[in-house]
């Protein structure tokens, strides 16, 4: 039996900040279908804690936000993309507030906090440390008010449908059935890939699907070696890798090693508020020096009531593990948090494939360079989600986007199933891969760690080249593909920049100002 068929004007793959904002932009121009592979609340957006950066406070200016972003990105940002984000950001935030998003206030004035590498207090937050949930709530409410937006939850996108280098839809697994969904334009907003690492802050959905399916479709993928590791996640046996927001350091928390010594002033003038890559490597260095699996985050000198009201979610979560953050130092260690690279887009979300747009963490606009400035990703998702939506609207009005001929072709296709690779234990490989990525392609890399990782991943090439009708196996295929791209790009960049640190090439190295690029069928190469 052939797959069933559905046709819409716009297909948005992903229901986090980027996908929802794009869908809202598209709503008045045609039918929009938003896909999520789990429930709508299971996204990195929903878990975001610290806040959203925007130059709206009296002490701030757009040009200072621009400078801080460029500096954190270690000179590898796309300056035009940064300019667009910081200049348009305030307008999109005010619009979000007009849709009902509530940010914390002091009296009637918005309250701004500080995070690492920001030279101003510019981070808006909600309910203390649940900013993502509030942004998501406001966007879902706005999307629900539009009758042209519909949603399929638990709809796992397997692959894109491409005809003549034009994206005309996606093959989607819903329950046990595959549906071919045809659309005049497709927006990819599938988020990040933290689940590739055994230690991560990311939710289970973050398996790099969008990057892998775009790569298989022939899209240009860039900057994959730049993985951001968050310095402070809860270290406690049996506890999840729960994030301890950088905003805690912004409000005065300090880092101490297991001997109780504060160490960050020895590593950087900005101490605990140095950029994330600097703080993460300093923590690793202290863990090695003291032969410990963690350091401590200490807030015990701060006012107890302030801590409880400013970080209510973190306070109550840590209590579940018998840590009272107002009285006890919190054991912390770094974990994989964000991918700076991804599907390359221009300032309007266009990818190298016509009809395929990308926004949010799956995309690489170049805004983050080699190291993302804290709280810039929610802003990026909002600004570039909207811009991708706008461009998709003009794309379908300017180009012949009729998909009917292709639809009838695909209607005749026999439904693809597993292409019978040799038997394998998907869960075992997934777990082994995550540990290899953490140990060998992690915070500190070198050719002696990267080359064996690459050998391991190549052993599983038969899975990367197969096709499946099962979410876990398809996710594994995607994870292997993305792991391969990260490792190859990390091998190519024989130098250190931002979050990519090679112990065998500590200086910037040749081509440092260029970008690594991956396209299916070619060895990784350099582009400008
Ligand atoms: P997501 O919000 O992750 O959404 C991805 C969507 O894609 C989901 O709906 C998912 O179901 C769907 N999807 C994925 N694969 C498929 C598939 N194959 N088929 C169908 N659907 C699919 N950033 C900040 O700016 N400030 C913060 O304070 C902050 N805190 C963070 C805290 C945590 C714990 C984490 C994990 C991240 C944090 N970040 C923060 C980063 C930020 O949250 C993310 O980068 C951002 O939310 C990504 O948004 P997105 O829309 O691109 O993807
Ligand atoms: C945090 O709250 O520390 C996360 C902020 C971010 O990732 O931007």
């Amino acid at each position: 039996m052939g797959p069933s068929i559905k046709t819409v004007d716009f297909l948005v793959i992903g229901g986090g900040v980027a996908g929802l904002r794009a869908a809202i932009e598209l709503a008045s121009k045609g039918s929009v279908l938003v896909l999520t592979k789990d429930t709508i609340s299971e996204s990195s957006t929903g878990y975001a804690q610290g806040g959203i950066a925007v130059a709206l406070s009296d002490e701030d200016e757009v040009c200072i936000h621009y400078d801080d972003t460029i500096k954190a990105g270690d000179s590898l940002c796309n300056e035009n993309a940064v300019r667009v984000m910081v200049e348009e950001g305030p307008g999109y935030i005010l619009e979000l507030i007009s849709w009902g998003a509530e940010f914390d206030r002091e009296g009637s004035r918005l309250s701004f906090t500080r995070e690492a590498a920001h030279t101003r207090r510019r981070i808006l937050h909600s309910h203390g440390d649940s900013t993502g949930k509030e942004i998501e709530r406001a966007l879902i409410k706005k999307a629900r008010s539009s009758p042209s937006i519909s949603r399929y939850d638990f709809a796992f996108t397997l692959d894109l449908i491409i005809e003549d280098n034009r994206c005309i839809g996606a093959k989607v697994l819903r329950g046990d059935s595959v549906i071919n969904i045809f659309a005049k334009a497709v927006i990819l907003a599938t988020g990040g890939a933290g689940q590739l690492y055994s230690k991560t802050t990311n939710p289970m959905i973050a398996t790099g699907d969008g990057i892998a399916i775009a790569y298989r479709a022939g899209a240009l993928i860039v900057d994959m070696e730049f993985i951001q590791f968050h310095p402070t996640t809860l270290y406690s046996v049996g506890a999840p890798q729960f994030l301890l927001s950088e905003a805690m350091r912004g409000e005065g928390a300090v880092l101490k090693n297991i001997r109780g010594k504060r160490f960050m002033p020895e590593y950087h003038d900005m101490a605990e508020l140095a950029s994330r890559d600097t703080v993460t490597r300093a923590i690793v260095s202290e863990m090695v020096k003291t032969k410990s699996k963690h350091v401590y985050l200490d807030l015990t000198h701060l006012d107890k009531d302030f801590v409880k009201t400013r970080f209510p979610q973190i306070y109550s979560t840590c209590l579940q593990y018998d840590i009272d953050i107002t009285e006890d130092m919190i054991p912390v260690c770094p974990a994989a948090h964000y991918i700076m690279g991804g599907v390359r887009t221009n300032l309007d979300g266009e990818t190298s494939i016509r009809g395929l747009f990308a926004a949010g963490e799956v995309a690489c606009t170049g805004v983050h360079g080699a190291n993302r400035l804290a709280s810039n990703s929610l802003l990026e998702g909002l600004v570039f989600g909207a811009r991708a939506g706008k461009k998709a609207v003009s794309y379908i009005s300017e180009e012949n986007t009729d998909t009917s001929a292709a639809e009838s072709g695909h209607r005749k296709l026999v439904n693809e199933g597993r292409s019978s690779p040799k038997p394998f234990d998907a869960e075992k490989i997934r777990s082994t891969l995550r540990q290899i990525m953490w140990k060998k392609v992690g915070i500190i890399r070198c050719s002696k760690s990267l080359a064996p990782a690459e050998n391991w991943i190549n052993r599983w090439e038969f899975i990367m080249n197969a096709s499946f009708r099962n979410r876990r196996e398809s996710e594994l295929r995607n994870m292997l593909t993305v792991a391969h791209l990260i490792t190859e790009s990390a091998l190519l960049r024989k130098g250190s920049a931002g979050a990519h640190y090679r112990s065998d090439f500590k200086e910037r190295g040749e081509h440092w100002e260029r970008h690594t690029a991956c396209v299916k069928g070619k060895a990784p190469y350099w582009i400008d």
Side-chain angles (χ1 to χ4, degrees):
M1 199 182 76
S4 57
I5 302 265
K6 182 169 172 73
T7 305
V8 290
D9 292 318
F10 303 102
L11 178 64
V12 178
I13 309 176
V17 60
L20 288 171
R21 186 58 191 81
I24 291 165
E25 198 63 37
L26 298 165
S28 62
K29 307 294 179 196
S31 55
V32 185
L33 176 61
V34 177
L35 305 180
T36 72
K37 75 176 187 185
D38 208 284
T39 61
I40 185 81
S41 52
E42 211 41 36
S43 65
S44 291
T45 299
Y47 288 95
Q49 290 183 359
I52 185 161
V54 64
L56 272 176
S57 84
D58 293 345
E59 66 168 47
D60 205 0
E61 284 173 43
V62 158
C63 62
I64 309 177
H65 189 186
Y66 172 89
D67 288 344
D68 289 350
T69 302
I70 299 279
K71 200 167 169 202
D74 211 1
S75 306
L76 274 160
C77 300
N78 174 336
E79 294 174 6
N80 292 330
V82 177
R83 198 164 290 117
V84 164
M85 182 183 72
V86 298
E87 284 176 358
E88 296 187 3
Y92 283 110
I93 295 281
L94 294 175
E95 177 187 62
L96 193 63
I97 293 173
S98 77
W99 292 344
E102 288 182 12
F103 294 107
D104 297 336
R105 290 176 183 263
E106 283 152 26
S108 60
R109 295 165 78 88
L110 288 166
S111 159
F112 295 88
T113 191
R114 207 175 150 191
E115 285 185 323
H118 288 270
T119 57
R120 296 289 187 278
R121 292 180 76 88
R122 70 162 66 92
I123 322 290
L124 288 175
H125 44 92
S126 285
H127 311 292
D129 51 7
S130 297
T131 314
K133 207 169 270 170
E134 176 60 14
I135 291 178
E136 188 186 78
R137 185 198 62 75
L139 289 173
I140 292 173
K141 185 164 164 249
K142 177 73 183 165
R144 281 206 179 118
S145 71
S146 171
S148 54
I149 301 179
S150 52
R151 221 171 71 208
Y152 283 177
D153 288 345
F154 295 101
F156 183 87
T157 305
L158 295 163
D159 268 309
L160 297 170
I161 303 173
I162 306 288
E163 289 255 330
D164 302 329
N165 193 36
R166 185 159 76 93
C167 182
I168 55 166
K171 200 179 279 276
V172 175
L173 184 65
R174 216 176 161 213
D176 290 333
S177 325
V178 176
I179 319 174
N180 282 345
I181 302 176
F182 291 93
K184 294 173 180 166
V186 175
I187 287 134
L188 201 55
T190 48
Q195 284 295 326
L196 263 74
Y197 288 85
S198 55
K199 292 184 201 299
T200 183
T201 62
N202 286 196
M204 294 299 282
I205 56 110
T207 51
D209 298 343
I211 297 175
I213 64 178
Y215 175 76
R216 282 197 292 276
L220 174 61
I221 312 290
V222 295
D223 282 353
M224 290 297 285
E225 68 277 28
F226 295 123
I227 306 292
Q228 181 167 76
F229 296 87
H230 197 289
T232 55
T233 67
L234 181 61
Y235 175 82
S236 176
V237 178
Q241 211 79 42
F242 181 68
L243 182 76
L244 294 158
S245 176
E246 205 155 73
M248 298 172 93
R249 279 175 279 132
E251 299 290 1
V254 293
L255 286 162
K256 293 182 175 170
N257 67 19
I258 52 152
R259 296 181 192 131
K261 181 172 180 279
R262 186 175 170 209
F263 54 86
M264 273 316 298
E266 286 166 26
Y267 289 86
H268 200 277
D269 293 347
M270 288 177 84
E272 279 80 5
L273 293 182
S275 64
R276 247 174 218 181
D277 55 327
T278 304
V279 179
T280 295
R281 285 194 292 272
I283 290 176
V284 171
S285 156
E286 290 296 311
M287 281 163 44
V288 171
K289 268 193 216 160
T290 59
K291 297 192 176 59
S292 170
K293 292 192 171 157
H294 64 84
V295 296
Y296 287 110
L297 185 66
D298 186 3
L299 295 86
T300 54
H301 53 289
L302 302 181
D303 179 76
K304 283 187 179 17
D305 289 335
F306 167 73
V307 169
K308 283 187 208 171
T309 47
R310 180 66 185 80
F311 301 109
Q313 191 204 164
I314 296 174
Y315 172 72
S316 61
T317 304
C318 288
L319 268 184
Q320 289 170 24
Y321 300 95
D322 300 326
I323 299 164
D324 179 341
I325 64 171
T326 67
E327 290 174 1
D328 307 318
M329 293 201 293
I330 316 166
V332 294
C333 64
H337 184 59
Y338 186 87
I339 182 158
M340 269 73 75
V343 183
R344 188 183 232 196
T345 68
N346 63 13
L347 301 183
D348 292 316
E350 290 174 296
T351 69
S352 59
I353 297 177
R354 279 185 306 139
L356 179 66
F357 301 79
E361 195 166 337
V362 68
C364 182
T365 56
V367 151
H368 309 300
N371 181 41
R372 176 176 65 96
L373 183 67
S375 288
N376 262 354
S377 45
L378 290 173
L379 188 67
E380 185 200 24
L382 208 55
V383 172
F384 288 96
R387 288 178 76 93
K390 285 190 175 76
K391 193 64 190 180
V393 168
S394 63
Y395 166 78
I396 71 160
S397 65
E398 285 159 15
E399 293 228 7
N400 174 12
T401 51
D402 182 15
T403 58
S404 48
E407 278 174 44
S408 57
H410 281 266
R411 211 179 282 274
K412 287 184 212 124
L413 284 181
V414 173
N415 202 355
E416 249 179 73
R418 174 198 285 256
S419 67
S420 54
K422 53 187 176 190
F424 63 94
D425 181 344
E427 297 307 323
K428 174 72 184 161
I429 296 175
R430 191 178 180 121
S431 158
T432 309
L433 174 70
R434 298 176 77 233
Q435 290 175 56
I436 289 172
M437 291 300 287
W438 178 254
K439 288 184 189 144
K440 300 196 180 299
V441 197
I443 300 166
I444 297 174
R445 304 111 184 237
C446 63
S447 63
K448 283 192 181 139
S449 68
L450 293 168
E454 183 65 351
N455 288 340
W456 269 97
I457 295 165
N458 285 340
R459 265 189 224 178
W460 296 312
E461 203 179 349
F462 70 98
I463 299 174
M464 281 186 254
N465 294 328
S467 67
F468 304 99
R469 286 191 56 185
N470 157 319
R471 172 171 156 181
R472 292 289 284 183
E473 288 176 351
S474 298
E475 281 180 346
L476 175 63
R477 171 173 73 144
N478 293 338
M479 289 166 77
L480 286 167
T481 300
V482 175
H484 175 71
L485 301 179
I486 295 172
T487 309
E488 288 218 310
S489 305
L491 275 164
L492 183 61
R493 188 176 287 280
K494 293 187 176 62
S496 295
H500 171 71
Y501 185 80
R502 289 219 18 190
S503 55
D504 50 350
F505 294 103
K506 292 181 184 157
E507 302 305 320
R508 286 189 164 270
E510 216 189 337
H511 302 300
W512 74 265
E513 75 288 26
R514 305 189 75 197
H515 299 269
T516 56
C518 302
V519 171
K520 193 177 157 194
K522 279 191 184 178
Y525 58 99
W526 292 103
I527 55 166
D528 293 315

